[in-house]
Amino acid sequence: MNYEPVIGLEIHAQLLTGTKIFCGCSTKFGSEPNTQTCPVCTGMPGVLPVLNKRVVEFAIKTGLALKCDIAPYSIFARKNYFYPDLPKGYQISQYELPICEHGYVDISVDGVGRRVGITRIHMEEDAGKNIHGAEVGYSFVDLNRTGVPLMEIVTEPDIRTPAEACEFMKMLRSIVRYLGVCDGNLEEGSLRCDANVSVRSAGLEELGVKTEIKNINSFRFVEKALEYEIKRQVGILKDGGRIVQETRLFDSDAGVTHSMRFKEEAHDYRYFPDPDLVPVVVDDKWVEEIRTTMPELPEQKKKRFIEELGLPGQDAALLADEKALAEWLEEAVKLGANPKNAANWLINELMRMLGEDKTPIEDSRITPKHLADMLALIDKSVISGKIAKSVFNKMYRTGKDANLIVEEEGLVQISDSSELESIIDKVIENNPNEAERCKGGEVKLMGFFVGQIMKETKGKANPNMVNELLRKKLAE
Ligand code: ADP
Ligand code: ZN
Ligand code: MG
């Protein structure tokens, strides 16, 4: 029997606001434990939460990007549970009336497109962090993260393969980064993914029993954890067993999932509307105002890179995926660089070098202006493509501009035909046997001569002219 996987994701995104969702404490990451707390976020009696308007704005922005309906009226609810990192004994979240619903994201894997429905986006507060093992016999709790704003994005069970789940996560990360609402760092936990998965006999409509996998903190693990879990479920069903609805933890070292706890049901949380917070009322005017601040998103950018800049689809996708890269390219093009050439240098040279040095593009010493200037030198035949590579390397290391490097190092291309001719004559003279064979029809020896001439000129000979002159002397 064939089984089909069904996957739905629940994604938590930490919002890039300066302060927490219901108090004025800083959201800065990495401070001394419990230095960014106040009576509100530590759940002292008698205090009242006040909603951070920025959080609503960020959620609406995301909702618009994910083609959701924005609720004119939504409410906060208390989700009750006991855990040491939750000082109030409840988390303020949204339950029945979330801020956004009914959206979608289009993804494509290996040319197969899929529309993934967005069930809802809601706003909530993060919990604190328990610290175990710092001192024998004790566990500690750091409440700096308590009350940091989160957005939870829930998808419909529309995803069918681990690769699609991974692609969805990548797309979502790209979108929230474009919007500037979340930094999208999976490793540090500012973007966290819980994956729900079930399998069913191919062709059946009815969904199978699902498990929820927690603790997935990289794109690779999204795929790995789901692949493992699908195999596990299919194995159980093939042996005539039944899947237990439960929460499982992914162990990335072993590449397996372990049972963590039986899945709690919504009623276990005793949700009820939070009486301390007024309903969130969003009027059309505000939504339209936010709409005007929406940046061009990765999908549109990719389309424009293909249609207007003439980039190959793969290059367009690669660059559009990361806002900083896309903007880097656009800036170079604005400064006169040919888009295709600029994209090639950016992808094949700069991104490779930055990758090796683990440096983000924002910290690159080569700016779009550097590249545009260098491409202009190639266009004007001042330097050859080969010399350009070494100029590019020097720009990367020193941040000097191309003109200066070319001038300082005397790299100007030799395009003077009489100068080139005398060099060519010398090389032919020094290699009489090869010259004879070449004249006799062994044209592949041309490459040998080009190499010798480049060696002689330290790569500065104008390659087109060298080819033309050589052909005249050896092949005609
Ligand atoms: P729960 O009430 O258990 O939290 P929800 O209905 O709220 O479940 O769905 C949570 C997530 O699980 C959603 O992303 C949803 O698409 C996904 N999901 C629901 N049922 C299934 C299923 N049978 N198989 C796979 N994913 C599912
Ligand atoms: Zn606080
Ligand atoms: Mg649920």
Side-chain angles (χ1 to χ4, degrees), residues 170-196:
K170 284 185 175 162
M171 180 71 102
L172 188 71
R173 174 178 188 270
S174 177
I175 292 171
V176 294
R177 283 168 60 84
Y178 263 78
L179 296 173
V181 301
C182 171
D183 68 19
N185 193 326
L186 272 76
E187 284 77 13
E188 282 177 12
S190 43
L191 194 63
R192 316 197 273 264
C193 170
D194 299 338
N196 296 270

Side-chain angles (χ1 to χ4, degrees), residues 339-360:
K340 269 192 182 163
N341 290 344
N344 278 338
W345 282 92
L346 176 54
I347 294 171
N348 299 326
E349 303 297 326
L350 187 54
M351 283 172 66
R352 178 179 53 78
M353 294 169 170
L354 291 170
E356 281 165 9
D357 293 340
K358 296 196 169 47
T359 306

Side-chain angles (χ1 to χ4, degrees), residues 85-329:
D85 64 9
L86 188 74
K88 292 196 298 297
Y90 61 87
Q91 177 195 29
I92 305 179
S93 180
Q94 294 196 293
Y95 183 56
E96 269 164 345
L97 293 171
I99 181 90
C100 309
E101 282 184 292
H102 312 306
Y104 64 87
V105 173
D106 289 324
I107 58 166
S108 137
V109 172
D110 297 332
V112 181
R114 179 150 344 257
R115 176 159 292 188
V116 179
I118 302 294
T119 314
R120 56 190 276 147
I121 302 175
H122 66 249
M123 303 174 279
E124 61 186 23
E125 56 180 349
D126 208 345
K129 214 181 202 155
N130 291 330
I131 302 164
H132 307 291
E135 203 175 309
V136 180
Y138 291 91
S139 283
F140 298 92
V141 63
D142 175 7
L143 299 181
N144 283 350
R145 204 178 65 181
T146 315
V148 166
L150 295 177
M151 180 167 71
E152 178 171 343
I153 300 164
V154 182
T155 80
E156 290 290 302
D158 289 342
I159 299 167
R160 291 291 171 270
T161 66
E164 283 181 5
C166 184
E167 180 57 27
F168 178 87
M169 275 303 284
K170 284 185 175 162
M171 180 71 102
L172 188 71
R173 174 178 188 270
S174 177
I175 292 171
V176 294
R177 283 168 60 84
Y178 263 78
L179 296 173
V181 301
C182 171
D183 68 19
N185 193 326
L186 272 76
E187 284 77 13
E188 282 177 12
S190 43
L191 194 63
R192 316 197 273 264
C193 170
D194 299 338
N196 296 270
V197 56
S198 61
V199 297
R200 62 181 171 193
S201 308
L204 276 191
E205 268 297 307
E206 200 189 335
L207 295 179
V209 175
K210 73 174 161 78
T211 58
E212 177 176 349
I213 315 168
K214 296 215 175 260
N215 198 29
I216 307 181
N217 64 356
S218 83
F219 290 118
R220 204 161 51 85
F221 294 162
V222 172
E223 266 189 273
K224 279 235 143 58
L226 282 167
E227 271 161 16
Y228 175 86
E229 185 56 20
I230 290 164
K231 254 199 212 127
R232 189 188 70 87
Q233 291 188 10
V234 169
I236 291 175
L237 294 178
K238 283 201 165 146
D239 288 347
R242 286 175 51 193
I243 308 299
V244 184
Q245 169 147 335
E246 63 183 351
T247 303
R248 299 179 67 87
L249 205 62
F250 180 60
D251 173 348
S252 57
D253 291 330
V256 302
T257 63
H258 293 295
S259 179
M260 185 163 107
R261 58 172 185 246
F262 289 110
K263 170 77 187 164
E264 49 292 284
E265 304 280 342
H267 61 247
D268 294 330
Y269 290 120
R270 296 156 11 256
Y271 280 101
F272 64 88
D274 193 311
D276 287 346
L277 285 154
V278 294
V280 182
V281 175
V282 175
D283 59 15
D284 286 348
K285 189 165 155 277
W286 194 26
V287 174
E288 288 319 307
E289 243 171 66
I290 292 171
R291 205 189 291 278
T292 61
T293 69
M294 297 286 284
E296 186 181 36
L297 292 170
E299 262 314 290
Q300 301 158 265
K301 249 205 202 341
K302 176 178 145 198
K303 198 156 169 267
R304 202 165 50 76
F305 282 1
I306 295 172
E307 287 169 6
E308 287 176 26
L309 302 185
L311 299 191
Q314 230 174 3
D315 292 357
L318 182 70
L319 296 175
D321 183 52
E322 185 68 52
K323 191 182 189 190
L325 284 174
E327 287 177 348
W328 201 99
L329 175 76

Side-chain angles (χ1 to χ4, degrees), residues 23 37-48 86-90 125 143 146-147:
C23 64
T37 58
C38 74
V40 174
C41 56
T42 52
M44 294 295 130
V47 297
L48 286 173
L86 188 74
K88 292 196 298 297
Y90 61 87
E125 56 180 349
L143 299 181
T146 315

